[in-house]
């Protein structure tokens, strides 16, 4: 490591908040983004405030109709924890192709959101689940809806002296399901080229079904289209309807010119395909993913 | 900062710089150079060790974070006289050429087989994803992981 900094392993939230109010102090959990940024000279902290030993931050429990996931929960735990795997599969599956097993033992959900890279794989699932980000500061706790929390590329509403303590997920109806899928250069360790989270409430009930979907790695912020979600909701889902919405998403989404890992053209072409595939998987009906049109290439 | 950690069954008390990685501490302060630095960014897998029972990238763990930890490195497998079945399997299947990626692959293999006795191809590929090898083309490594599962099964 070619940079010099100090380190404290915190034992309590009070201690953490206190230390974080020192200039140059930053919250530190898995270290998989921070240590790389320090090495690259992008971050020059004076003090790393290690949060991993604070019990509340690794806790996962139901409270007031929400599942509270401690910010220091590592990505592998998103799959192995029963509450998350059973009740929030859209989040659990987002951890399936996320870096590699070793990094998932260290990377945390709080860190993934705080880092706010456009390719953050926990962001789209949290968006479709209407998650809240719990932030702690000297002034106390506040809850920020996830879509308000991330404000741009690597940019959030977190101020110096603040830390994310938990992600809160509202309980979903029993007959809900969700899935996260992605397009990447390899089916393994790679950041996503395009990432998609789909959550469906009342999966098999045409009259009450609610479809939510959100794309990551395409635009600076997670991309949601509430009006298109509405088209897919509370109706009998046909291949034609899904194709219509897929084409509308593809037409509307505006990939960043600085698109990484795939060209803007590719990303625009693949978003609709991913959406149809994800819906077909969730509804267990492969035919829904077929397109009427001939492929263009 | 003073830390206490157990490495390959032996307790150590070390004075480490807070900004030194566990990889650097293992290699330079403990002289265990079997663990390699490939990329320094957690992407190549050469620095993989097992910490508190879980495989991690030691280049992205600070030495100070290992206070109170149990560490297993490649040197901790087998003894001077006998090889660990995973090591034997890599030799049997000629899955070693230059050997630089090998300690990382072996630690990852051991960690995989500790959590899943008979992984299928898909599970192996996903467990080894994030380990780069420039020499072998990976096929021999796949065979070695399966052979290791077999050899470990024989020991039960």
């Amino acid at each position: 490591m070619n940079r010099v900094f100090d380190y404290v392993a915190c034992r309590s939230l009070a201690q953490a908040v206190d230390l974080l109010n020192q200039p140059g102090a930053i919250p530190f959990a898995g270290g998989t983004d921070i240590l790389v940024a320090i090495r690259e000279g992008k971050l020059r902290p004076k003090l790393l405030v290690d949060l991993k030993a604070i019990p509340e931050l690794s806790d996962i429990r139901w409270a007031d109709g929400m599942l509270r996931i401690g910010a220091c929960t590592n990505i592998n735990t998103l799959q192995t924890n029963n509450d998350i795997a059973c009740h929030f599969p859209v989040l659990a599956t987002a951890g399936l192709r996320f870096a590699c097993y070793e990094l998932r033992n260290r990377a945390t959900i709080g860190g993934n959101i705080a880092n706010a890279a456009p390719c953050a794989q926990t962001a789209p699932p949290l968006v479709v689940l209407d998650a809240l980000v719990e932030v702690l500061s000297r002034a106390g706790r506040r809850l920020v809806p996830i879509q308000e929390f991330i404000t741009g590329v690597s940019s959030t509403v977190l101020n110096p002296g603040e830390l994310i303590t938990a992600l809160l997920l509202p309980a979903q109806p029993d007959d809900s399901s969700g899935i996260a899928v992605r397009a990447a250069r390899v089916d393994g360790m790679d950041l996503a080229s395009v990432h998609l989270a789909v959550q469906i409430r009342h999966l098999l009930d045409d009259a009450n079904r609610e479809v939510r979907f959100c794309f990551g790695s395409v635009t600076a912020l997670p991309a949601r289209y509430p009006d298109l979600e509405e088209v897919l909701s509370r109706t009998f889902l046909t291949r034609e309807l899904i194709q219509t919405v897929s084409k509308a998403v593809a037409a509307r989404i505006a990939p960043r010119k600085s698109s990484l890992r795939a060209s803007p053209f590719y990303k625009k072409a693949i978003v609709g395909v991913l959406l149809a595939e994800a819906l077909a998987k969730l509804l267990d009906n492969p035919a829904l993913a077929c397109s009427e049109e001939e492929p263009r290439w | 900062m003073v830390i206490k950690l157990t490495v390959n069954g032996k307790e150590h008390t070390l004075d480490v710089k807070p900004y030194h990685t566990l990889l650097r501490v293992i290699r330079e302060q403990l002289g265990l150079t079997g663990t390699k630095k490939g990329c320094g960014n957690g992407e190549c897998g050469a620095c993989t060790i097992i910490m508190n029972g879980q495989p991690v990238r030691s280049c992205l763990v600070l030495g100070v974070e290992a206070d109170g930890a149990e560490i297993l490195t490649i040197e901790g497998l087998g003894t001077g006289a006998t090889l660990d079945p995973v090591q034997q399997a890599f030799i049997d299947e000629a899955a070693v050429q230059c050997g630089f990626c090998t300690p990382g692959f072996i630690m990852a293999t051991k960690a995989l087989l500790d959590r899943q006795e008979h992984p299928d191809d898909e599970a192996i590929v996903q467990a080894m994803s994030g380990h780069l090898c420039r020499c072998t083309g990976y096929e021999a490594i796949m065979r070695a992981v399966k052979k290791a599962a077999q050899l470990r099964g024989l020991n039960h």
Side-chain angles (χ1 to χ4, degrees):
Chain A
M1 188 76 59
N2 52 355
R3 307 279 177 224
V4 172
F5 49 79
D6 270 324
Y7 166 97
V8 174
C10 280
R11 301 284 161 207
S12 74
L13 282 175
Q15 185 192 12
V17 172
D18 210 34
L19 287 168
L20 285 170
N21 277 280
Q22 287 178 26
I26 59 169
F28 179 73
T32 54
D33 283 322
I34 285 176
L35 294 180
V36 175
I38 291 173
R39 171 171 288 117
E40 291 176 350
K42 291 181 183 155
L43 202 58
R44 285 164 207 259
K46 295 214 178 76
L47 173 67
L48 298 194
V49 179
D50 192 344
L51 307 172
K52 293 190 289 294
I54 302 173
E56 298 99 299
L57 298 184
S58 297
D59 219 15
I60 301 173
R61 59 186 162 86
W62 291 98
D64 305 318
M66 309 197 103
L67 186 67
R68 190 196 158 76
I69 304 178
C72 287
T73 300
N74 71 40
I75 305 299
N76 272 333
T77 304
L78 298 182
Q79 291 154 58
T80 57
N81 175 271
N82 209 49
D83 285 311
I84 300 175
C86 290
H87 298 281
F88 303 97
V90 64
L91 183 58
T93 51
L96 278 178
R97 297 291 187 267
F98 182 118
C100 59
Y101 189 79
E102 289 95 342
L103 287 174
R104 294 199 294 271
N105 278 331
R106 302 293 289 177
T108 64
I109 187 169
N112 195 229
I113 295 305
N115 193 49
C119 59
Q121 275 183 210
T122 62
L126 292 173
V127 168
V128 296
L129 291 171
D130 292 314
L132 297 170
V133 185
E134 185 184 85
V135 176
L136 181 65
S137 70
R138 263 202 180 133
R141 284 178 204 249
R142 60 194 172 100
L143 295 176
V144 184
I146 182 72
Q147 281 195 274
E148 289 169 34
F149 187 82
I150 299 174
T151 55
V153 176
S154 307
S155 164
T156 68
V157 300
L158 214 59
N159 295 313
E162 294 188 325
L163 66 145
I164 300 176
T165 43
L167 282 307
L168 280 73
L169 313 187
Q172 305 288 298
D174 279 338
D175 55 344
S176 302
S177 192
I179 195 170
V181 295
R182 68 178 211 166
R185 291 164 300 183
V186 292
D187 182 22
M189 181 163 177
D190 190 14
L191 298 173
S193 300
V194 178
H195 178 57
L196 167 66
V198 180
Q199 175 71 2
I200 304 187
R201 295 156 68 105
H202 309 298
L203 189 65
L204 300 170
D205 180 355
D206 285 347
N208 293 305
R209 187 187 301 114
E210 290 169 36
V211 176
R212 298 286 203 82
F213 61 88
C214 178
F215 288 96
S217 291
V218 186
T219 48
L221 299 172
R224 255 193 79 196
Y225 304 96
D227 58 319
L228 295 177
E229 291 173 343
E230 202 45 48
V231 173
L232 293 172
S233 298
R234 285 171 281 278
T235 185
F236 178 62
L237 282 173
T238 63
R239 193 172 59 186
E240 291 70 27
L241 187 63
I242 292 172
Q243 281 306 310
T244 304
V245 172
S246 295
K247 285 188 190 126
V249 172
R252 218 190 285 185
I253 204 161
R256 303 190 288 154
K257 285 211 180 64
S258 57
S259 255
L260 294 170
R261 297 175 292 283
S263 66
F265 171 80
Y266 177 85
K267 292 189 181 187
K268 249 170 124 54
I270 214 77
V271 286
V273 175
L274 276 185
L275 179 61
E277 278 181 10
L279 290 168
K281 276 201 180 102
L282 281 173
L283 295 158
D284 200 18
N285 183 352
L288 290 176
C290 297
S291 169
E292 293 288 349
E293 281 185 9
E294 292 294 317
R296 281 178 291 150
W297 55 84
Chain B
M1 295 182 67
V2 176
I3 61 169
K4 279 189 162 64
L5 68 171
T6 304
V7 182
N8 301 331
K10 191 163 159 228
E11 277 178 24
H12 296 271
T13 302
L14 299 174
D15 191 359
V16 304
K17 296 269 189 272
Y19 46 86
H20 280 180
T21 61
L22 181 58
L23 175 64
R24 183 162 176 174
V25 170
I26 289 172
R27 287 180 56 86
E28 296 185 17
Q29 290 183 249
L30 292 175
L32 297 171
T33 53
T35 309
K36 307 299 183 193
K37 179 175 182 178
C39 68
N41 279 329
E43 292 173 358
C44 75
C47 70
T48 303
I49 56 155
I50 295 178
M51 179 161 138
N52 297 329
Q54 290 293 336
V56 297
R57 300 283 155 99
S58 62
C59 72
L60 291 185
V61 177
L62 296 172
V64 287
E65 293 181 84
D67 187 26
E70 269 196 41
I71 307 285
L72 187 67
T73 70
I74 188 71
E75 289 89 349
L77 294 190
T79 68
T82 54
L83 292 176
D84 185 278
V86 179
Q87 292 168 311
Q88 188 62 54
F90 270 68
I91 293 172
D92 290 351
E93 295 302 324
V96 183
Q97 290 187 31
C98 81
F100 199 81
C101 72
T102 308
F105 266 107
I106 288 179
M107 299 314 287
T109 301
K110 174 178 164 54
L112 168 65
L113 297 178
D114 282 350
R115 60 183 188 266
Q116 218 180 332
E117 268 185 25
H118 296 289
D120 59 13
D121 282 13
E122 176 63 17
I124 296 173
V125 164
Q126 286 308 319
M128 299 302 134
S129 137
H131 285 266
L132 299 175
C133 173
R134 293 292 281 124
C135 301
T136 67
Y138 303 103
E139 295 289 332
I141 293 174
M142 284 292 291
R143 287 193 290 271
V145 176
K146 289 185 224 185
K147 184 74 189 279
Q150 216 186 333
L151 290 177
R152 281 167 56 122
L154 294 174
N155 289 340
H156 289 160

